[in-house]
Amino acid sequence: MSTKPLYITMHANDNVAIVVNDGGLPAGTVFPNGLTLKERVPQGHKIALCDLEEGQPIIRYNVTIGYATRAILQGSWIEESLVRMPPARELTNLPISTNIAASAAPLEGYTFEGFRNADGTVGTRNILAISTTVQCVSGVVEHAVKRIKEELLPKYLHVDDVIGLEHTYGCGVAIDAPGAEIPIKTLRNISMNPNFGGQAMVVSLGCEKLQPSRMFPKGSIPIQSADDNGDVRVVCLQDQEHIGFNAMIASIMQTAEEQLIVLDKRRRETCPASELTVGVQCGGSDAFSGVTANPAVGFASDLLVRAGATVMFSEVTEVRDGIDQLTSRAINADVAEAMIREMAWYDNYLTKGGVDRSANTTPGNKKGGLANIVEKAMGSIVKSGSSPIVGVLSPGDKVKQKGLIYAATPASDFICGTLQLAAGMNLHIFTTGRGTPYGLAAVPVIKVATRDDLARRWHDLMDINAGRIASGTATIEDVGWEMFHFMLDVASGRKKTWAEQWKLHNALTLFNPAPVT
Amino acid sequence: MSTKPLYITMHANDNVAIVVNDGGLPAGTVFPNGLTLKERVPQGHKIALCDLEEGQPIIRYNVTIGYATRAILQGSWIEESLVRMPPARELTNLPISTNIAASAAPLEGYTFEGFRNADGTVGTRNILAISTTVQCVSGVVEHAVKRIKEELLPKYLHVDDVIGLEHTYGCGVAIDAPGAEIPIKTLRNISMNPNFGGQAMVVSLGCEKLQPSRMFPKGSIPIQSADDNGDVRVVCLQDQEHIGFNAMIASIMQTAEEQLIVLDKRRRETCPASELTVGVQCGGSDAFSGVTANPAVGFASDLLVRAGATVMFSEVTEVRDGIDQLTSRAINADVAEAMIREMAWYDNYLTKGGVDRSANTTPGNKKGGLANIVEKAMGSIVKSGSSPIVGVLSPGDKVKQKGLIYAATPASDFICGTLQLAAGMNLHIFTTGRGTPYGLAAVPVIKVATRDDLARRWHDLMDINAGRIASGTATIEDVGWEMFHFMLDVASGRKKTWAEQWKLHNALTLFNPAPVT
Ligand SMILES: [Ca+2]
Ligand SMILES: [Ca+2]
Ligand SMILES: [Ca+2]
Ligand SMILES: [Ca+2]
Ligand SMILES: [Ca+2]
């Protein structure tokens, strides 16, 4: 990183900028243009580019991120208490489809090696997943998965992994409450993630609220029975035939082996990049997230869309303050309305819980220089690039379109990742400023560092260093292209992510807005 | 089980009884007293002992469990649709302390071999627990625990196990919302469960909302730092000193080994039974739960209270319809008011989510013969025995009293178990009718079957068969005493539960009534 004093402004209209230098800059620092710091400013934190009066808008990303709580002199540190958060944008009179980017030239000829599925999706890994209807069976499934990995998986060389899809839903929950369809849809759709090859099997207890027939109702995925050659195989622990624990394990292992035999016949084949379904999100953000990693993801997202792929961005509370940007990029009024509906639903969900969108920000965000959720959202939203938004998913829905999709989810890394898995993602891009060892068992997670320092320290956890953008050793375009190529390599299994190498993964976390009982 | 036709009545005032026989009984069956079945009645389901008019109260456990939706003839099957659920008892004008049992003779001389802790509690196992502030670190902790088990644990022969206390809280949650203190308190208090020997260590990410200083605020448990020899050791993954993944793992393993050295010095010593803190709950209930297993637990609970131990019963929605029984057993008005306050809080929580207590019952409950939550609650509440209720805990609180305690929790097996762990339980009794392979990593879970059939099929998962009470081969007293002796054996480590033998355990599940972000 440069030792020359350096700040970054995001837009010509901004009256604040952030300090780039590692460790921040001391009082008295003079920038090349003559601007002088009145006090020490930590790395990633904001400095006033001009004198600001009390109540004057503080502008970053050409957006009012707040109002000065008192007069602030040029060259001062604008720490969080000096920024009064503006109210959330009303969800009425929004600009609709007023800013639709001219369609960019298609990007042709890019391919990856993937596993084609009968339903038209393409997997980037070949995994046997064992779904569960209810947490009661988790211990048994964990035991069975261990034995399958030891005793069966080594015989099936073309299968990458066996995973148990354990979760904390299924019973002891208000399953008929408003919102309960979200976790149920999520579990159903995850079982059909492209990386599972259409070989769905589920372990059920027997007396749970979330019966297999409710997880897979008529018209969704047919359940296999004596007289129906359906797609979902069910092992029910309470079945009369299970005499003793080992009978349960044997039953799960037998069904698993039948699935492994089918999965083992699959081979990678060359697929156009349009078969990628990429979920993007960020976690542990800092002020560099919106300057380095997220703009590079936005650039890569535009490349993916030009290549005909599907890109999903999410995290309601991190786009809420930029809803006008999103509705103006909506391809049509239906898409804009769907986004507004998702924002309104979440506003109401938070209000019922006694909070608002400002509950999103963390101590780490603030330490990293983000004054409030408005500033954080402006940096988060740039992950979506500049393509028109062509579709919207409610939490738990499956994506059925190409192009840029807004998949509404909480910002929680694990809940967002779980919902993007249910939506059908086959590759995950995750940016982080403070650093998190995040991983998922079901799809590769490519982690992008926002700062050189993090990329250096976590050299074997971060897959891509976007910090070079701040230090001036790479452009947004450079890192965006690198990411795009790395995605094709990882999707093809030619390269592994660090999370895969260390087998680091987090548990599925369902979004259940309904009460437990 | 007897092949003679048999039904069981719970109270002389009941106008219904349940069929005991395996597989139910056919139409035309004549009972020894002459009562004749008008139709087939499944096992565990209710028969009318007399003609009932439309609207007439249906009485079981001497309680109105509902009203007949139409006229019902003597000997008919009262299936669920014939029972109209009564409204919940208002929380006003409740009888207070009107039914306090005369104090039973103290039960002296019973002991177990336990691990005494500095804070006065006693462990039944000697476990190194690694707490976590946030889900972000779960993958790393899981990796570290695996290595600790392989490389360190074999050196420390007096330590039983190493477990990671992973969960899905800590960030991406509205941490200042009403109710957010529940999961935070829970995590804090679990780290001090008696089975962890007071050796608390926590792995933190660094930027999470639930900072270690918030999990362990001033006045709770002091955190160890350069200038404070506190009780909680913290490993923070984002610390500058961690260069690369293996440095994080090494750091966790080093701290873990320091804890193992301390834990390894502990030895079991003879403790009075009064040092037991037993959490009781049920899951996968059927109509026999309230006839066999739960009354036996109630009897054992009275024995424990007579021996000076602490017994906690829980599950708000399963006692809500018996609140008048509980307030009348409250030792004083403060205790009664605290119970009423917990019921009101939960009523409100469910109402905000658009449901009520009736959301509790499952398809398995109904198949097992329980018409509604009122009938289920009457069978559930008997786990509390007949002792006076001397204290009340809010969710997440730690118990500090001997005697019978009402620890308010959801009925969800995993959430209830997690909250009872936080409350300080060192032994868990769990009754089940439909069957569940439930287990916890932190304390032994003794599972009690309500029916012979389940005990036979799940012979290596169920620790005690209370089904013998229905078939007449044992009394409630017999099974209660058997349970009491088995508890002392398990607490002493002389016997292991089936869940321990198979190493079956479910994940911690936090009760977070607040929104995610
Ligand atoms: Ca199939
Ligand atoms: Ca984010
Ligand atoms: Ca996130
Ligand atoms: Ca229960
Ligand atoms: Ca329960």
Side-chain angles (χ1 to χ4, degrees), chain A residues 17-295:
Chain A
I18 65 162
V19 165
V20 172
N21 306 70
D22 262 351
L25 290 171
T29 298
V30 183
F31 291 94
N33 67 354
L35 183 77
T36 305
L37 288 188
K38 290 254 183 313
E39 56 199 319
R40 201 188 84 78
V41 182
Q43 187 189 31
H45 283 247
K46 286 175 288 300
I47 53 179
L49 297 177
C50 57
D51 290 349
L52 293 165
E53 289 168 36
E54 183 181 333
Q56 192 176 330
I58 296 170
I59 296 170
R60 200 177 161 218
Y61 297 99
N62 195 27
V63 162
T64 298
I65 62 165
Y67 300 93
T69 56
R70 60 163 171 77
I72 301 170
L73 293 178
Q74 187 187 47
S76 301
W77 174 24
I78 306 188
E79 58 85 26
E80 142 194 16
S81 72
L82 300 182
V83 185
R84 180 165 52 78
M85 190 174 81
R89 172 78 165 81
E90 297 268 333
L91 292 175
T92 49
N93 299 319
L94 284 158
I96 309 291
S97 310
T98 51
N99 183 27
I100 296 176
S103 55
L107 200 59
E108 280 164 3
Y110 289 95
T111 62
F112 70 104
E113 304 298 307
F115 295 97
R116 284 203 178 274
N117 295 312
D119 68 356
T121 64
V122 173
T124 60
R125 296 291 180 268
N126 188 25
I127 296 172
L128 171 61
I130 302 181
S131 292
T132 60
T133 50
V134 65
Q135 193 188 354
C136 306
V137 305
S138 295
V140 173
V141 167
E142 199 183 340
H143 189 103
V145 165
K146 194 159 172 281
R147 287 199 45 197
I148 295 167
K149 281 189 173 179
E150 286 168 8
E151 299 170 33
L152 302 180
L153 190 58
K155 296 197 283 175
Y156 301 98
L157 298 175
H158 296 279
V159 183
D160 293 318
D161 206 357
V162 178
I163 63 178
L165 299 178
E166 293 144 28
H167 57 84
T168 61
Y169 197 75
C171 215
V173 292
I175 202 166
D176 295 311
E181 71 284 2
I182 294 176
I184 300 172
K185 265 196 303 192
T186 304
L187 289 172
R188 177 188 315 141
N189 288 333
I190 281 187
S191 75
M192 283 291 156
N193 182 278
N195 281 4
F196 305 153
Q199 293 308 108
M201 71 174 273
V202 55
V203 176
S204 149
L205 181 60
C207 62
E208 66 272 25
K209 283 180 179 159
L210 184 55
Q211 293 284 299
S213 58
R214 186 155 185 175
M215 188 156 150
F216 301 103
K218 283 216 179 355
S220 69
I221 311 163
I223 293 177
Q224 197 168 100
S225 67
D227 34 51
D228 184 346
N229 186 24
D231 291 327
V232 184
R233 312 275 308 265
V234 178
V235 176
C236 174
L237 301 189
Q238 285 173 353
D239 267 2
Q240 299 289 329
E241 78 215 32
H242 292 135
I243 311 295
F245 176 66
N246 287 314
M248 297 173 187
I249 298 294
S251 215
I252 297 170
M253 288 182 74
Q254 188 191 324
T255 303
E257 184 149 29
E258 287 162 19
Q259 307 286 88
L260 286 169
I261 289 169
V262 178
L263 290 170
D264 198 50
K265 295 192 179 122
R266 304 172 79 218
R267 293 294 178 276
R268 290 188 184 269
E269 49 191 285
T270 304
C271 305
S274 59
E275 300 293 5
L276 287 177
T277 301
V278 179
V280 305
Q281 70 152 319
C282 52
S285 299
D286 66 7
F288 285 98
S289 296
V291 176
T292 62
N294 290 351

Side-chain angles (χ1 to χ4, degrees), chain B residues 219-435:
Chain B
S220 68
I221 311 163
I223 293 177
Q224 195 168 101
S225 67
D227 34 52
D228 184 346
N229 186 25
D231 291 325
V232 183
R233 312 277 308 264
V234 178
V235 176
C236 174
L237 300 189
Q238 285 173 354
D239 267 2
Q240 299 288 329
E241 78 216 31
H242 292 137
I243 312 294
F245 175 67
N246 287 314
M248 298 173 187
I249 298 293
S251 215
I252 297 170
M253 288 181 73
Q254 190 191 323
T255 304
E257 184 148 29
E258 287 161 19
Q259 307 285 90
L260 285 169
I261 289 168
V262 178
L263 290 172
D264 198 50
K265 295 191 180 122
R266 306 172 78 217
R267 294 293 179 275
R268 288 187 185 271
E269 50 191 284
T270 303
C271 305
S274 59
E275 300 294 2
L276 287 177
T277 302
V278 179
V280 306
Q281 70 152 321
C282 52
S285 299
D286 64 8
F288 286 97
S289 297
V291 177
T292 62
N294 291 351
V297 169
F299 185 87
S301 161
D302 286 345
L303 295 179
L304 286 163
V305 170
R306 284 173 57 198
T310 303
V311 178
M312 297 182 283
F313 72 110
S314 297
E315 302 174 297
V316 172
T317 50
E318 295 181 14
V319 302
R320 177 64 181 84
D321 282 289
I323 182 61
D324 53 332
Q325 296 177 36
L326 299 189
T327 52
S328 49
R329 287 169 57 197
I331 194 79
N332 59 40
D334 284 351
V335 166
E337 274 160 28
M339 275 189 290
I340 293 167
R341 191 186 60 228
E342 293 300 333
M343 299 296 123
W345 186 95
Y346 215 89
D347 281 358
N348 178 51
Y349 163 73
L350 292 175
T351 302
K352 276 200 296 185
V355 293
D356 65 21
R357 75 209 195 281
S358 71
N360 172 299
T361 46
T362 68
N365 292 156
K366 297 194 167 178
K367 205 171 157 191
L370 296 169
N372 60 32
I373 183 60
V374 186
E375 184 175 12
K376 183 175 175 178
M378 294 309 124
S380 181
I381 218 166
V382 296
K383 297 194 298 294
S384 65
S386 61
S387 308
I389 301 165
V390 299
V392 177
L393 299 180
S394 293
D397 282 352
K398 202 176 166 72
V399 72
K400 285 168 187 156
Q401 271 177 286
K402 304 290 185 184
L404 181 65
I405 306 291
Y406 182 66
T409 76
S412 155
D413 300 347
F414 314 100
I415 299 180
C416 172
T418 300
L419 290 168
Q420 289 185 342
L421 283 177
M425 109 176 127
N426 55 19
L427 203 57
H428 199 25
I429 308 287
F430 187 95
T431 71
T432 182
R434 311 297 305 171

